[in-house]
Amino acid sequence: MNKPEKPSQEKLQGDVAGPSARHKTTQVMVGKVAVGGGAPIVVQSMTNTDTADIEGTIAQVAALSRAGSEMVRITVDREEAAAAVPHIRDGLRKLGITTPLIGDFHYIGHKLLADYPACAEALDKYRINPGNVGFKNKRDTQFADIIEIANKYDKPVRIGANWGSLDQELLTKLMDENTASPDPRDARAVTREAMVQSALLSAARAQELGMPKNKMILSAKVSAVQDLIAVYQELARRSDYAIHLGLTEAGMGSKGIVASSAALGILLQGGIGDTIRISLTPEPGGDRTLEVQVAQELLQTMGFRTFVPLVAACPGCGRTTSTTFQELARSIQDFIREEMPGWKTQYPGVEELNVAVMGCIVNGPGESKHANIGISLPGTGEAPAAPVFVDGKKFRTLRGPGIAADFKALVIDYIDQRYGAGAKAPVTAAE
């Protein structure tokens, strides 16, 4: 196997929404992570631990960070949680993790930030919900308190309107105006407008209080796909603030993945979105890092970013009654994800690798040729031989009970030769 040149990042062509087609927004620095202003779309996630549980929260933030989350949000809902935040930050730093921490505040954020200055200082960003930052005559005062603290500590904020906790005074006002209109819209359209106005009016108020535009990220989360698309399209049309995308209460399992991918995929393709979160409901005892993996795969399959090598595998049919190709595809994919944290520094560019694991002769050889390294396993009734293709050319044919292990070894060798320092001797092609 001759050592090929290292690949270069392919640029998006034609009508695909690449960076040049993205909605222009004002860049915001969250810690050392750039959001908006043409920066790569950022993946973020949120813990579901009790933030007062310092060790548990450190462990989950660390897991999310290692899975690829570039920012992590934690709940700050009471005094014990606020007191824990600086200890969480310090514990993560001892582990070498510098992923920005975002504090999620509702109802009493103004009080917690004021009473626990170490918390205010330790967080890299505050998330404020204009629908519950305060009520009636206290709303403006408590919102101002948070903005003033953010200004004091030079922290950015996300002003995040949410369909489930929308500012009811604003909604009532718009509904009344709509009723009096000679050409009233349906209630859902008015609610969407209230979402947009809630975010924009709050941002305008923050600017009046001295917060610059490059310290604000806006979001307007909805749980219905079509409503979410409409709200974000209007929010982008009427502003140039950095935008956080997410379908709130997306749901569990395939429902949550499909709904989030459908909504965010359309918005991202239209150039809208600077940072995303996939808000999946985890299975009981499930892995919280799944939401990070889904967000990465969404951005990667759409061609916006590369995170891990892609493993292409056929879906299987009556020609592939053996489970060998499925087991091998899963094994390779799991192996790649497990090794990626170390590979990022050892093998720069390895995230661009494409691997194919195909199940029979129909599409196997062709798909394998399109991958950097691919294997076409024998289907039902086919000769027990598996040709391997490297960079479009047939490299070797594997036979016998060790096909899976032999191919995995070839993948590892290919990665080392293509992306590493080339310490290993070239593999000699042999049938």
Side-chain angles (χ1 to χ4, degrees):
M1 188 186 299
N2 295 323
K3 183 177 179 181
E5 295 180 5
K6 289 191 176 185
S8 59
Q9 176 75 31
E10 291 186 6
K11 294 186 178 179
L12 298 165
Q13 302 291 335
D15 294 331
V16 177
S20 63
R22 284 173 61 188
H23 170 58
K24 293 182 180 179
T25 58
T26 303
Q27 190 166 99
V28 179
M29 294 302 299
V30 181
K32 294 183 179 180
V33 175
V35 178
I41 299 164
V42 174
V43 171
Q44 63 177 277
S45 59
M46 186 174 183
T47 60
N48 62 354
T49 56
D50 178 357
T51 305
D53 174 7
I54 295 172
E55 294 304 317
T57 302
I58 288 173
Q60 193 172 85
V61 172
L64 290 165
S65 176
R66 289 170 181 145
S69 183
E70 294 159 307
M71 298 191 292
V72 178
R73 183 157 47 113
I74 60 177
T75 298
V76 187
D77 58 343
R78 64 193 196 281
E79 291 186 354
E80 292 83 357
V85 169
H87 300 292
I88 293 167
R89 187 268 316 271
D90 294 343
L92 290 166
R93 296 298 182 269
K94 288 178 182 178
L95 296 174
I97 295 170
T98 59
T99 303
L101 288 178
I102 303 164
D104 193 58
F105 294 99
H106 300 274
Y107 307 109
I108 59 170
H110 63 291
K111 186 176 188 307
L112 294 175
L113 286 167
D115 292 349
Y116 292 86
C119 169
E121 186 276 329
L123 293 168
D124 295 285
K125 187 178 76 172
Y126 311 154
R127 189 270 180 152
I128 313 169
N129 185 337
N132 59 32
V133 71
F135 300 101
K136 298 191 180 293
N137 60 333
K138 293 183 179 180
R139 182 184 60 229
D140 291 345
T141 300
Q142 292 175 184
F143 178 81
D145 289 344
I146 296 178
I147 297 301
E148 287 169 4
I149 293 170
N151 286 337
K152 176 182 177 181
Y153 291 99
D154 194 31
K155 305 293 184 179
V157 300
R158 170 159 71 93
I159 297 174
N162 193 294
W163 191 269
S165 52
L166 185 55
D167 183 340
Q168 292 303 300
E169 289 184 49
L170 175 61
L171 180 59
T172 299
K173 173 178 174 290
L174 293 180
M175 287 291 187
D176 290 344
E177 291 175 356
N178 185 61
T179 301
S181 170
D183 185 22
R185 295 180 291 173
D186 65 72
R188 207 166 188 87
V190 177
T191 305
R192 291 197 295 262
E193 174 63 18
M195 287 283 292
V196 175
Q197 285 199 26
S198 179
L200 293 178
L201 289 171
S202 298
R205 177 57 181 151
Q207 285 190 256
E208 290 174 2
L209 293 166
M211 176 163 282
K213 189 174 285 187
N214 68 356
K215 290 290 184 181
M216 281 184 276
I217 298 172
L218 301 190
S219 67
K221 291 190 173 183
V222 184
S223 58
V225 169
Q226 294 298 339
D227 289 319
L228 187 88
I229 294 168
V231 166
Y232 271 109
Q233 287 175 336
E234 189 63 14
L235 185 62
R237 188 184 71 81
R238 288 155 64 173
S239 75
D240 63 351
Y241 294 100
I243 289 179
H244 166 74
L245 294 184
L247 183 79
T248 191
E249 288 89 39
M252 183 180 287
S254 61
K255 186 270 180 185
I257 293 172
V258 170
S260 292
S261 299
L264 272 59
I266 289 170
L267 290 166
L268 291 166
Q269 185 72 7
I272 298 170
D274 300 299
T275 174
I276 68 170
R277 181 196 171 201
I278 304 294
S279 301
L280 295 180
T281 303
E283 299 283 348
D287 188 352
R288 189 68 168 179
T289 63
L290 178 60
E291 67 176 55
V292 179
Q293 182 179 333
V294 173
Q296 288 182 329
E297 290 178 354
L298 174 61
L299 292 175
Q300 185 154 341
T301 54
M302 293 190 70
F304 289 104
R305 293 188 63 182
T306 52
F307 297 96
V308 296
L310 291 176
V311 179
C314 68
C317 67
R319 298 179 65 93
T320 56
T321 52
S322 167
T323 61
T324 303
F325 82 95
Q326 298 161 315
E327 293 163 358
L328 180 57
R330 182 175 61 187
S331 173
I332 293 292
Q333 189 161 281
D334 290 347
F335 172 72
I336 285 171
R337 281 208 166 270
E338 289 169 4
E339 296 296 324
M340 271 306 292
W343 283 356
K344 286 179 181 178
T345 54
Q346 187 178 0
Y347 300 118
V350 70
E351 65 273 7
E352 298 173 20
L353 176 73
N354 286 299
V355 180
V357 179
M358 307 305 293
C360 78
I361 199 170
V362 174
N363 292 318
E367 290 290 344
S368 296
K369 288 177 183 178
H370 288 301
N372 296 116
I373 181 168
I375 187 170
S376 179
L377 293 161
T380 304
E382 294 178 18
V388 175
F389 298 84
V390 172
D391 293 320
K393 297 180 181 179
K394 187 175 179 181
F395 170 70
R396 180 177 294 178
T397 298
L398 301 179
R399 295 181 174 86
I403 285 177
D406 291 344
F407 180 67
K408 187 174 181 179
L410 289 177
V411 171
I412 295 169
D413 191 72
Y414 181 92
I415 289 170
D416 186 64
Q417 292 191 41
R418 181 162 190 167
Y419 302 97
K424 291 185 178 181
V427 177
T428 303
E431 290 297 325

